[in-house]
Amino acid sequence: RGARGEDRGEERRTPFKNEGGYQHIEGASIEDIANAPADQRVLKVGSASNPKKVAGSICHITRAGGPPALLALGSVAINQATKAVAIARNYLIEEQVYLHCQPEYRDKKRSSLCLHLTEVSNLKPGTGREVELTVSKNTNLESLAGAIAGKVREGVRQAITAIGGEAVAVAISAIAIAREYLQDDELDIYCMPKLIHVTKGDSDEEMTAMKIKVAFAAYGDDVTPV
């Protein structure tokens, strides 16, 4: 895709690593961020951020220079960032641009998350009937991460459904931990969040939920930017 494709070629992803080196450009315009080097193509997302506006920024930056990274601190911000990714993915699919998200902790204390966005090909969705993991705000992070990692090792198709902002933050955080668990297996996770409507229990009332499909690749696989 011309210059944009060439720029992405220079951003070939290495196996999982802490991305704390990202540098957010304080006070920069979206245009400045879009034209910045990959490690400065960063958006900060806070608890008060508007997901639709963040999604618009993601789309603009992706079209101009390549997908950005989102920095989020706290469960509310993580939820807003994930919503923004889901909305942006929906916008960009119409242009045949398929974003994937790789959440990772930025420090050993696990206090801050980075959602690295990338557009890659040749991922493995898993095989067989899709296994759905339902997450609540009370779901144990390590247990969920272990379940996700285990299904990746087995090559099982899986998706995570979360209702409510805190549950979404738990799901994304668990995926970040699952990526750590899979390092020794030389496998990595790419996820695809999507907003869906569900009914809860016997009620006919519809609720908005987040469905996060999980794909994976081995470190040696060709998942270079498209």
Side-chain angles (χ1 to χ4, degrees):
R1 297 187 182 180
R4 181 177 143 191
E6 292 170 8
D7 181 45
R8 287 180 175 175
E10 294 172 1
E11 297 173 40
R12 181 185 294 270
R13 291 282 286 161
T14 57
F16 175 85
K17 64 177 182 177
N18 185 295
E19 295 289 352
Y22 276 121
Q23 302 174 41
H24 178 256
I25 308 173
E26 294 291 344
S29 67
I30 295 302
E31 199 65 40
D32 290 336
I33 295 172
N35 294 317
D39 64 348
Q40 297 178 29
R41 204 174 298 144
V42 175
L43 294 172
K44 275 189 176 179
V45 181
S47 58
S49 295
N50 183 311
K52 287 187 177 180
K53 288 185 178 180
V54 176
S57 298
I58 291 171
C59 292
H60 179 78
I61 294 168
T62 298
R63 295 183 187 111
L70 308 183
L71 304 184
L73 176 62
S75 61
V76 178
I78 293 169
N79 177 50
Q80 299 298 77
T82 307
K83 279 184 180 178
V85 174
I87 295 167
R89 289 192 78 250
N90 195 46
Y91 290 158
L92 291 169
I93 281 173
E94 297 178 3
E95 303 170 29
Q96 295 187 322
V97 175
Y98 303 97
L99 286 184
H100 297 81
C101 174
Q102 289 189 293
E104 54 204 23
Y105 283 104
R106 302 185 67 232
D107 53 39
K108 293 181 179 179
K109 294 181 180 179
R110 292 179 175 171
S111 61
S112 177
L113 266 180
C114 171
L115 280 69
H116 178 91
L117 303 185
T118 184
E119 185 191 354
V120 294
S121 60
N122 302 327
L123 297 177
K124 300 172 184 175
T127 58
R129 184 176 179 179
E130 183 176 271
V131 174
E132 185 171 321
L133 302 174
T134 302
V135 178
S136 76
K137 64 180 181 180
N138 298 318
T139 298
N140 181 273
L141 270 178
E142 283 74 17
S143 296
L144 178 59
I148 294 168
K151 286 172 176 52
V152 168
R153 293 187 187 101
E154 295 167 6
V156 174
R157 188 184 301 269
Q158 64 177 307
I160 304 160
T161 300
I163 300 175
E166 290 181 271
V168 171
V170 168
I172 291 294
S173 299
I175 292 171
I177 296 172
R179 293 185 65 213
E180 296 175 6
Y181 289 170
L182 290 166
Q183 289 181 69
D184 290 342
D185 300 279
E186 297 189 350
L187 294 169
D188 206 353
I189 292 175
Y190 298 76
C191 64
M192 295 147 280
K194 180 180 181 179
L195 289 166
I196 61 171
H197 296 290
V198 298
T199 55
K200 192 172 182 180
D202 297 328
S203 172
D204 292 331
E205 183 182 355
E206 280 196 341
M207 303 179 67
T208 300
M210 185 71 69
K211 183 172 184 177
I212 306 170
K213 290 195 173 186
V214 175
F216 62 93
Y219 284 179
D221 289 349
D222 178 15
V223 290
T224 52
V226 297

